[in-house]
Amino acid sequence: MVLPLAVGALMAAGAGTSAASPGGGPTAVVSLGDSYISGEAGRWKGNSLTASGSRNGTDRGWVSGSTYDPGKVYGTTAGGCHRSDSAEVRSAGPIADVAVNLACSGATSENVFRAANGGVAFKGEAPQADQLAAVAASHDVKVIALSIGGNDLGFADIIKDCAYDFIIWNSYCYDDQQYGVDQKIDAVMGSVGKSVDEIRAVMRGAGYADSSYRIVLQSYPSPIPRGAENRYTQSDWSRLNTGGCPFWNRDSDWARDSLVPQIANRLKGVAAAKGVQFLDLRDMLQGREVCAKASKHVTASVPASAKTSEWARWIDNNESQGLVQESMHPNHFGQLAAGRCLALVVAQPATSGFSCKNTAGADQSGMYLTAAP
């Protein structure tokens, strides 16, 4: 018998046996949504070409010899929702007594909606809003962090198609992909807005006033740098075989300076329309992206470090070091940074929106806020 996720999460967090009314019981911060907040790629501390052992210290799932246990990082969600031990709400520090991660890698908006209002179970779990109801009943929820919309938009397919255009077709992807995004984005943002409405409905049903907690809707960081900031030229295969970032400069520039800002700006509009806080992460990985000139691979002589290593997982197309689904997500270092961003924005008034950026050469402690664009 499998425990319902919310119940299992609360037991693991040491929840008490009696139900708490809103404003009572242990406080909680809850994450809902997709892989960019569930903790996907949290197994990795930078990227290394060494494919054995601890991969030069980058593989947190290494046990010994040639044995690996992703469950050391993802627990029982290894190979599925990939809720890592360093996921954003768990890295944010003491902003609540308990951190509950309900987000799931691959989730779309319909996996957030309540089942009674069109929600769909995912990977054997009830819709996330229904799981939230159990948390709201037993805890005093103070913060709900939401990352959703990327899978509705087909972000993973965009990355795959752009990579194929580099590897196979010797062509650009930005023009076709931009057309597809423009066709979908209005409906996607409508679904993001409904996700916020569903969260509000659950919380009101549990007796919470809207002003008693905050919702933080966040955008997505770019996992790849601009063409001019890539440490590999596009005239050979090192960008793929060594760097793990097979994208043309023109497509990279489009993703970094058009696609990611377009999504962020539209999410900012949803946040404003729904009266929730906005956390802009478009620049969170600046200089720390896969293949960025300002960062380095981890080697025997260059140890894994949040100050020098990449903060996003490269594309390991052969799965020689893990699953493809981890590709192009904030890694362990990136998740620590996202957690710091959440802590910083929660310390601000709930009606304010901010962009979170990193300080070159610093670890997650160097994250700072600026006014959202």
Side-chain angles (χ1 to χ4, degrees):
M1 180 177 294
V2 179
L3 285 172
L5 173 66
V7 176
L10 299 184
M11 289 178 65
T17 57
S18 61
S21 59
T27 59
V29 52
V30 183
S31 57
L32 300 175
D34 56 28
S35 56
Y36 272 75
I37 199 168
S38 74
E40 184 71 80
R43 176 177 172 176
W44 304 98
K45 298 170 67 175
N47 300 309
S48 170
L49 289 170
T50 300
S52 61
S54 70
R55 337 261 198 201
N56 288 324
T58 62
D59 192 348
R60 300 172 62 228
W62 180 63
V63 177
S64 64
S66 59
T67 302
Y68 301 92
D69 178 15
K72 290 177 61 178
V73 174
Y74 301 120
T76 59
T77 68
C81 286
H82 275 188
R83 299 184 182 103
S84 78
D85 57 359
S86 57
E88 184 175 317
V89 292
R90 300 190 64 178
S91 297
I95 61 177
D97 298 328
V98 176
V100 181
N101 186 357
L102 302 180
C104 187
S105 181
T108 62
S109 295
E110 67 178 8
N111 304 129
V112 174
F113 305 159
R114 293 167 295 168
N117 203 22
V120 177
F122 187 58
K123 295 186 178 178
E125 299 180 359
Q128 293 175 29
D130 292 328
Q131 296 182 52
L132 173 63
V135 181
S138 59
H139 285 67
D140 179 12
V141 176
K142 292 299 185 184
V143 179
I144 298 171
L146 174 65
S147 169
I148 202 68
N151 291 321
D152 301 64
L153 202 59
F155 194 61
D157 287 336
I158 292 173
I159 291 174
K160 180 181 70 175
D161 289 346
C162 288
Y164 282 164
D165 281 348
F166 178 89
I167 298 168
I168 300 174
W169 304 115
N170 195 31
S171 62
Y172 295 123
C173 74
Y174 73 93
D175 44 1
D176 291 341
Q177 296 300 327
Q178 183 63 65
Y179 176 80
V181 169
D182 291 342
Q183 296 303 302
K184 295 177 182 178
I185 198 162
D186 287 347
V188 169
M189 292 303 145
S191 294
V192 173
K194 181 179 176 180
S195 297
V196 175
D197 293 341
E198 291 289 286
I199 292 169
R200 288 286 192 212
V202 166
M203 297 300 285
R204 289 167 183 165
Y208 288 74
D210 291 355
S211 60
S212 66
Y213 68 99
R214 75 173 72 196
I215 297 173
V216 180
L217 176 62
Q218 63 189 50
S219 67
Y220 298 90
S222 174
I224 58 174
R226 300 174 178 90
E229 296 167 355
N230 195 307
R231 63 176 175 265
Y232 305 98
T233 67
Q234 63 176 353
S235 60
D236 59 33
W237 290 104
S238 61
R239 188 171 281 190
L240 166 64
N241 297 331
T242 303
C245 56
F247 307 102
W248 297 108
N249 285 350
R250 192 165 184 180
D251 289 338
S252 299
D253 291 345
W254 166 74
R256 180 66 181 85
D257 290 328
S258 294
L259 177 62
V260 169
Q262 179 183 13
I263 297 171
N265 292 338
R266 292 298 300 270
L267 288 169
K268 180 182 178 181
V270 173
K274 297 298 180 180
V276 302
Q277 193 170 25
F278 179 59
L279 175 57
D280 188 350
L281 298 180
R282 74 181 75 184
D283 296 323
M284 188 188 84
L285 298 178
Q286 174 62 38
R288 316 302 187 101
E289 307 99 332
V290 179
C291 291
K293 285 180 179 179
S295 297
K296 302 176 182 178
H297 274 174
V298 179
T299 67
S301 59
V302 181
S305 168
K307 295 182 178 181
T308 60
S309 304
E310 295 166 328
W311 284 10
R313 183 63 179 162
W314 60 7
I315 293 178
D316 179 18
N317 193 52
N318 295 321
E319 294 194 328
S320 61
Q321 295 190 28
L323 299 177
V324 169
Q325 74 179 65
E326 296 174 302
S327 301
M328 297 291 130
H329 288 82
N331 61 21
H332 177 68
F333 297 136
Q335 289 175 29
L336 297 181
R340 179 58 180 161
C341 290
L342 181 62
L344 289 172
V345 82
V346 167
Q348 300 297 321
T351 55
S352 58
F354 291 92
S355 179
C356 194
K357 302 180 180 182
N358 73 77
T359 300
D363 60 16
Q364 69 274 6
S365 65
M367 303 307 294
Y368 64 97
L369 301 178
T370 64

